[in-house]
Amino acid sequence: MSGEKIAHIRNKINASRVVDVDNDIVLLEYSAAGGGKVLGHSVTDVATHVSKRYADGTETATARIVVTSESGQDQLVLVGSAAGDVAAGGAVSFKGVLIGRATSGVFKELNGVAILAEASMDADGTVTHRWRRF
């Protein structure tokens, strides 16, 4: 059902690096790990986000995320892109779209589904993700 909440995940940034600087654009890469719930199932996840941070306080990002069920039997791989704003202290909020792929198991129903994603990263590097069906 469109708009249905399908996930709530909380990550912690465990590595970040400046990839490039070109005039007013800073290319950043973040790696994060954490867990939460997807489709009511407990999960762990690892993610890499590559962001372009602009001098005007906006940011665009691409994401690659691997979600694994608590049992380790089921895996969901997601890719997507988002846009957001940078706040004081480096906090960032994003809105975007993810597309997932699961070959089998509890996440298979997300194949072919556009997922509306909202994420907020606080200044301490904690990222909260909320996903809904498109």
Side-chain angles (χ1 to χ4, degrees), residues 12 87-92 121-126:
K12 184 71 175 173
V92 183
M121 180 177 78
D122 66 23
D124 294 327
T126 299

Side-chain angles (χ1 to χ4, degrees), residues 5 7-9 94 115-120 128-132:
K5 181 180 174 183
H8 187 271
I9 293 177
F94 285 105
I115 299 168
L116 297 175
E118 292 183 75
S120 56
T128 302
H129 297 268
R130 292 164 303 284
W131 302 342
R132 296 187 178 277

Side-chain angles (χ1 to χ4, degrees), residues 40-80:
H41 300 277
S42 294
V43 300
T44 59
D45 79 300
V46 294
T48 300
H49 301 90
V50 178
S51 295
K52 286 185 179 179
R53 185 170 288 184
Y54 303 93
D56 68 358
T58 60
E59 194 163 321
T60 59
T62 59
R64 284 161 179 69
I65 304 166
V66 177
V67 174
T68 305
S69 65
E70 191 173 55
S71 70
Q73 302 273 326
D74 305 293
Q75 180 174 286
L76 174 65
V77 177
L78 301 121
V79 295

Side-chain angles (χ1 to χ4, degrees), residues 8-25:
H8 187 271
I9 293 177
R10 181 167 244 149
N11 289 345
K12 184 71 175 173
I13 301 293
N14 53 35
S16 60
R17 70 184 187 111
V18 175
V19 177
D20 195 11
V21 177
D22 184 18
N23 293 322
D24 71 338
I25 301 170

